Amino acid sequence: MSTAERLIESTRELLWERGYTGTSPKAIQQRAGAGQGSMYHHFAGKPDLALAAIHRTAEEMRAKAEEQLAAPGTALDRITAYLRRERDVLKGCPIGRLTQDPDVIADPALRAPVDDTLAWLRERLAEVLAEGRERGELGPGLDPQAAAATVVAVLQGGYVLARAADSVTPFDQAVTGVLALLTAHGTR
């Protein structure tokens, strides 16, 4: 792995563990096994490196979601697979956690990939739900956009509840609850 790749991967890990504010250039360099000169040779500074790391995390998150959302099956099958897939729940969502970081939210460049990723997820879920409604799997009373926003909110809130309780149980309960609400709109 190149030095630039090690720096990006180390930054991704540290952002997930500590957030932007808690991630120092020194910590990134130590984790990556790279010197200060190497870091500044590849990146203009911490914001530039963090942006590359956030973009990489966003791409990975989208690809993982798409695995379930583009799979064969009913809309509810695909959304269930997405919500029930294996996750490191107690670490939280690597993108969602960044919304709690004041430095990320205050910086339009750092905030943009976070917002874009969450917007993409809402839209992609809405597409799956609309497809399910068009195929007669879900009733006409289901609003795909509102339901998709609810799914994302429940997922992100589930992470928060699980971290607060230091238990995956609240996350699992939140997922079970939102799936029950969606299932109530099923026609089969």
Side-chain angles (χ1 to χ4, degrees), residues 110-178:
L110 294 175
R111 185 180 66 245
V114 173
D115 181 40
D116 291 347
T117 301
L118 293 172
W120 173 86
L121 183 57
R122 288 190 313 273
E123 186 56 38
R124 186 65 181 101
L125 288 165
E127 289 171 5
V128 172
L129 291 165
E131 182 183 309
R133 194 175 65 180
E134 289 166 13
R135 293 192 315 204
E137 301 163 3
L138 299 166
L142 178 77
D143 177 344
Q145 296 289 331
T150 300
V151 169
V152 174
V154 167
L155 186 64
Q156 292 300 317
Y159 281 121
V160 170
L161 295 174
R163 287 176 54 82
D166 194 27
S167 167
V168 298
T169 301
F171 180 90
D172 292 340
Q173 289 171 330
V175 167
T176 297
V178 78

Side-chain angles (χ1 to χ4, degrees), residues 4-131:
E5 286 299 311
R6 287 195 325 270
L7 288 164
I8 291 170
E9 289 305 310
S10 296
T11 304
R12 288 179 64 203
E13 293 167 7
L14 288 165
L15 288 174
W16 197 6
E17 293 168 14
R18 303 178 184 181
Y20 182 82
T21 304
T23 298
S24 69
K26 184 176 181 178
I28 295 167
Q29 294 160 20
Q30 286 176 337
R31 183 158 303 185
Q36 182 177 3
S38 293
M39 180 175 154
Y40 291 103
H41 170 75
H42 294 287
F43 301 96
K46 177 182 166 182
D48 186 41
L49 178 53
L51 185 59
I54 293 168
H55 276 293
R56 176 82 52 85
T57 298
E59 290 167 8
E60 183 179 284
M61 184 175 153
R62 287 180 188 204
K64 284 182 180 178
E66 192 62 23
E67 285 178 26
Q68 288 86 37
L69 298 176
T74 67
L76 285 176
D77 290 342
R78 293 181 286 157
I79 290 173
T80 299
Y82 167 70
L83 291 173
R84 296 266 188 222
R85 80 167 189 234
E86 190 172 327
R87 303 172 194 289
D88 195 347
V89 172
L90 295 180
K91 280 182 76 176
C93 174
I95 291 293
R97 284 192 63 183
L98 293 172
T99 65
Q100 300 302 310
D101 196 309
D103 289 342
V104 171
I105 296 306
D107 184 328
L110 294 175
R111 185 180 66 245
V114 173
D115 181 40
D116 291 347
T117 301
L118 293 172
W120 173 86
L121 183 57
R122 288 190 313 273
E123 186 56 38
R124 186 65 181 101
L125 288 165
E127 289 171 5
V128 172
L129 291 165
E131 182 183 309

